[in-house]
């Protein structure tokens, strides 16, 4: 059965009343200031609600989402979020989180013209081409999941290649960038073991001097 738009407003009232019932000052505190320690860079997929999968409340997770959790050097929306999170909110942890079975990644592995999104996903095609020997003999779903993991690993490095993150490290600000992936079939997060905490882990070609 389709959900009527009015149901969303009713759901919101119930959610607000429930939270205020547990903590009458919750929204008053939240309105005064946000102090999240985490920036989440994730996919727009509706099946991956950032706060819920990590069990955090409103105000505890700063979030940026786009199709296939991409970190694009010319995306002013992303760069503005990153700069605000690092320079103003002083987050200490950045999480790049993809998910298995990602529709954007699946589209990048195909050849169907979909429109504007094709330009957004072109970097994923290049990533597949760069690692194509790893895909030999894999079934379709396994190919998608492998590219999902490779994509997270690449986007972690892309975050670290920004002057925003490198400037934070240069001034001694504690900041770590992690790569995780979420399983739609079990709701579990997997750490891909690609955490970067300083510019020492980067190739010289991507380093900036203050």
């Amino acid at each position: 059965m389709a959900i009527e738009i009015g149901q969303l407003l009713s759901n919101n009232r119930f959610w607000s009343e429930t939270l205020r019932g547990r903590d009458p000052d919750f929204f008053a505190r939240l309105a005064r200031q946000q102090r999240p320690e985490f920036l989440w860079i994730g996919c727009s997929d509706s099946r991956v609600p950032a706060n819920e999968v990590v069990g955090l409340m409103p105000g505890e997770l700063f979030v940026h989402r786009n199709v296939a959790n991409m970190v694009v050097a010319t995306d002013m929306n992303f760069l503005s979020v990153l700069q605000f999170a690092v320079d103003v909110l002083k987050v200490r942890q950045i999480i790049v989180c993809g998910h298995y079975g990602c529709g954007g990644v699946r589209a990048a592995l195909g050849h169907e013209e979909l429109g504007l999104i094709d330009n957004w996903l072109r970097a994923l095609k290049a990533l597949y081409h760069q690692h194509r020997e790893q895909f030999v003999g894999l079934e379709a779903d396994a190919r998608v999941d492998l590219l999902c993991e490779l994509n997270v690993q690449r986007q972690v490095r892309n975050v670290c290649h920004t002057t925003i993150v490198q400037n934070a490290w240069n001034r001694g600000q504690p900041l770590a960038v992690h790569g995780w992936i979420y399983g739609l079939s079990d709701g579990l997060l997997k750490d891909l073991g690609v955490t970067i905490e300083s510019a020492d882990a980067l190739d010289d070609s991507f380093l900036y001097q203050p």
Side-chain angles (χ1 to χ4, degrees), residues 123-137:
L124 279 174
K125 286 185 175 290
L127 183 62
Y128 163 72
H129 180 74
Q130 182 182 357
H131 296 275
R132 60 192 180 279
E133 70 284 349
Q134 297 183 40
F135 292 81
V136 175

Side-chain angles (χ1 to χ4, degrees), residues 34 36 38-43 48-51 60-66 77 81 85 89:
Q34 62 168 337
F38 307 94
L39 167 62
W40 174 282
I41 301 166
C43 182
V48 193
N51 282 69
E60 296 180 323
L61 189 70
F62 200 58
V63 177
H64 176 81
R65 297 171 72 174
N66 62 47
N77 186 344
V81 169
L89 297 177

Side-chain angles (χ1 to χ4, degrees), residues 124-182:
L124 279 174
K125 286 185 175 290
L127 183 62
Y128 163 72
H129 180 74
Q130 182 182 357
H131 296 275
R132 60 192 180 279
E133 70 284 349
Q134 297 183 40
F135 292 81
V136 175
L138 294 181
E139 298 293 332
D141 287 346
R143 287 159 61 86
V144 171
D145 288 348
L146 174 57
L147 189 54
C148 287
E149 291 187 350
L150 293 173
N151 181 42
V152 169
Q153 294 168 16
R154 173 60 54 85
Q155 304 317 322
V156 164
R157 300 196 78 80
N158 285 348
V159 171
C160 297
H161 292 162
T162 65
T163 54
I164 296 166
V165 168
Q166 291 192 34
N167 286 339
W169 284 330
N170 288 335
R171 61 179 176 259
Q173 185 174 334
L175 185 63
V177 185
H178 311 274
W180 295 356
I181 195 157
Y182 177 76

Side-chain angles (χ1 to χ4, degrees), residues 15-27 29-30 33-38 40 49-63:
W15 173 78
S16 173
E17 289 167 2
T18 301
L19 277 182
R20 282 184 283 126
R22 290 192 219 139
D23 181 355
D25 296 326
F26 177 79
F27 288 106
R29 274 198 321 274
L30 197 63
Q33 192 170 17
Q34 62 168 337
R35 288 187 178 276
E37 291 197 17
F38 307 94
W40 174 282
N51 282 69
E52 292 182 35
V53 301
V54 289
L56 292 180
M57 295 292 287
E60 296 180 323
L61 189 70
F62 200 58
V63 177

Side-chain angles (χ1 to χ4, degrees), residues 64 66 70-80 82 119-120 123 155 158 161-162 164 208:
H64 176 81
N66 62 47
M70 301 290 286
V71 174
V72 179
T74 54
D75 180 2
M76 296 304 293
N77 186 344
F78 163 73
L79 291 174
S80 298
L82 181 65
N119 300 284
W120 181 255
Q155 304 317 322
N158 285 348
H161 292 162
T162 65
I164 296 166
Y208 296 94

